[in-house]
């Protein structure tokens, strides 16, 4: 018969996990199950009555091309995510070495990620307005001419994607910096003795060492590009060709009272993100890296 102390030792880890598991199930998995259930109904989000409609919502989604055309807007954010990852990797690599004021620059790069997204949206709304801050800055360098940066689909999406680069680069920067600093310093010393320059150190030491973190950043960037909501919703409300799939889903639910169709759209977006993540992990497997 097992000693009571040993039994409690086996149960204790599960007691610590009980509270987070309850919260996870209550606020994550239960709403997902409800969302899937609502996607097969005609619920308007208000009425206590709802009727099972089978796969009609999914059929409407895949037969109305305009509901998927908004995914083209995600292309701007995908391109911006490439710029974001490259810039974050560059700054993380430079600031991982002994340079002057590196702690100051670390704070400057990470600070935008700490700011509330609503505040960022309103700040850049005035920044991009006709005759606003950006036009004033360009006027100082000799560029004369006010323009509505959020007035056309192309310029609006490029501007909004630029805001997302500014805001989220700090997160990737911190992830890359932490991964780079976890690489043993002896490797850099040995590389310098062998005559390796900074590019060779990056190529043969840093790049292989941060590959798992780089893979995670790519997954986060792709999923984030497909589910953009906060910045375009605050700054344009989806107008001027800036409507994303998530903004469209929110409008279906709360503006047109088609909660069932919106739930189906959310399920489709979830499946797309899972599929993209699976493909990315298959193409770039997360192998263990051993540099020592």
């Amino acid at each position: 018969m097992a000693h009571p102390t040993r039994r409690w030792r086996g149960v204790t880890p599960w007691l610590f996990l009980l509270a987070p598991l309850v919260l996870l199930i209550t606020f994550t998995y239960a709403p997902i199950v409800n969302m899937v259930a609502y996607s097969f109904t005609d619920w308007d989000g208000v009425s206590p009555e709802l009727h099972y409609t089978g796969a009609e919502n999914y059929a409407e989604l895949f037969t109305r091309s305009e509901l998927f055309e908004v995914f083209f807007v995600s292309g701007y954010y995908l391109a911006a995510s490439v710029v974001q990852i490259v810039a974050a990797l560059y700054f993380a690599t430079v600031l991982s070495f002994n340079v002057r004021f590196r702690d100051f620059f670390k704070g400057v790069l990470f600070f935008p990620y700490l700011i509330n997204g609503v505040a960022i949206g309103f700040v850049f709304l005035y920044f991009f307005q006709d005759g606003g801050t950006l036009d004033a800055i360009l006027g100082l360098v000799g560029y004369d001419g006010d323009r509505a940066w959020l007035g056309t689909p192309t310029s609006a999406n490029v501007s909004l994607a630029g805001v997302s680069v500014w805001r989220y680069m700090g997160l990737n920067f911190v992830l890359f910096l932490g991964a780079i600093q976890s690489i043993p310093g002896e490797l850099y010393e040995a590389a310098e003795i062998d005559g390796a320059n900074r590019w060779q150190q990056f190529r043969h030491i840093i790049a292989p060492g941060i590959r798992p973190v780089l893979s995670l950043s790519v997954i986060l960037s792709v999923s984030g590009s497909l589910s953009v909501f906060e910045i375009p919703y605050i700054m344009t409300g989806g107008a001027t060709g800036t409507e994303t799939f998530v903004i469209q889903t929110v409008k279906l639910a709360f503006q047109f009272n088609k909660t069932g169709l919106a739930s189906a759209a959310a399920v489709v977006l979830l499946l797309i993100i899972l599929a993209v993540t699976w493909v990315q992990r298959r193409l770039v497997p997360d192998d263990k890296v051993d540099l020592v």
Side-chain angles (χ1 to χ4, degrees):
M1 184 176 180
H3 194 273
T5 304
R6 293 182 178 178
R7 288 202 303 267
W8 276 109
R9 287 178 180 176
V11 174
T12 300
W14 294 102
L15 294 177
F16 281 105
L17 287 173
L18 182 61
L21 282 176
V22 170
L23 294 174
L24 182 66
I25 294 173
T26 303
F27 296 104
T28 301
Y29 294 113
I32 290 177
V33 172
N34 286 332
M35 179 181 69
V36 174
Y38 291 145
S39 69
F40 294 100
T41 69
D42 62 353
W43 190 40
D44 59 5
V46 179
S47 174
E49 297 182 358
L50 64 164
H51 304 91
Y52 176 77
T53 59
E56 288 185 8
N57 290 324
Y58 293 96
E60 183 175 355
L61 277 176
F62 289 101
T63 54
R64 291 175 56 185
S65 60
E66 67 271 15
L67 295 179
F68 274 90
E69 288 176 356
V70 292
F71 270 119
F72 289 110
V73 176
S74 298
Y76 290 94
Y77 296 94
L78 283 172
S81 67
V82 175
V83 176
Q84 172 184 304
I85 290 175
V86 172
L89 184 56
Y90 171 78
F91 287 117
T93 303
V94 172
L95 295 178
S96 65
F97 296 104
N98 190 17
V99 296
R100 297 182 63 183
F101 306 112
R102 64 174 181 176
D103 291 335
F104 169 75
F105 288 114
K106 289 177 185 178
V108 169
L109 291 170
F110 185 65
F111 178 71
Y113 184 70
L114 302 177
I115 305 176
N116 181 270
V118 177
I120 290 176
F122 281 111
V123 167
F124 277 94
L125 184 61
Y126 292 104
F127 182 81
F128 285 117
Q129 72 179 357
D130 189 11
T133 308
L134 181 58
D135 287 333
I137 294 174
L138 294 176
L140 295 176
V141 296
Y143 180 84
D144 187 18
D146 297 341
R147 61 171 297 178
W149 295 96
L150 303 178
T152 63
T154 300
S155 62
N157 283 306
V158 171
S159 300
L160 296 178
V163 175
S164 70
V165 171
W166 180 81
R167 186 190 180 192
Y168 293 106
M169 185 179 67
L171 175 61
N172 286 321
F173 165 75
V174 169
L175 292 175
F176 292 148
L177 185 64
I180 293 173
Q181 291 181 341
S182 67
I183 298 175
E186 295 81 1
L187 295 178
Y188 298 108
E189 297 175 1
E192 291 179 356
I193 293 174
D194 291 338
N197 55 32
R198 294 301 190 194
W199 165 248
Q200 291 171 331
Q201 291 180 33
F202 173 81
R203 179 181 177 185
H204 299 287
I205 298 177
I206 295 177
I210 66 172
R211 188 171 59 187
V213 176
L214 182 59
S215 177
L216 172 64
S217 296
V218 171
I219 292 175
L220 293 176
S221 297
V222 173
S223 61
S225 300
L226 295 174
S227 56
V228 175
F229 171 72
E230 195 174 49
I231 291 175
Y233 185 77
I234 294 170
M235 294 182 63
T236 64
T240 325
T242 61
E243 186 174 77
T244 63
F245 193 79
V246 177
I247 293 178
Q248 177 182 259
T249 302
V250 170
K251 287 184 176 180
L252 287 174
F254 300 105
Q255 185 174 337
F256 300 107
N257 293 329
K258 294 184 177 181
T259 304
L261 182 60
S263 298
V267 172
V268 170
L269 178 62
L270 175 63
L271 294 177
I272 291 174
I273 292 176
L274 291 176
V276 170
T277 303
W278 180 82
V279 171
Q280 191 273 337
R281 295 300 297 271
R282 295 287 293 179
L283 294 176
V284 186
D286 189 11
D287 298 329
K288 183 179 179 180
V289 178
D290 188 6
L291 296 173
V292 182

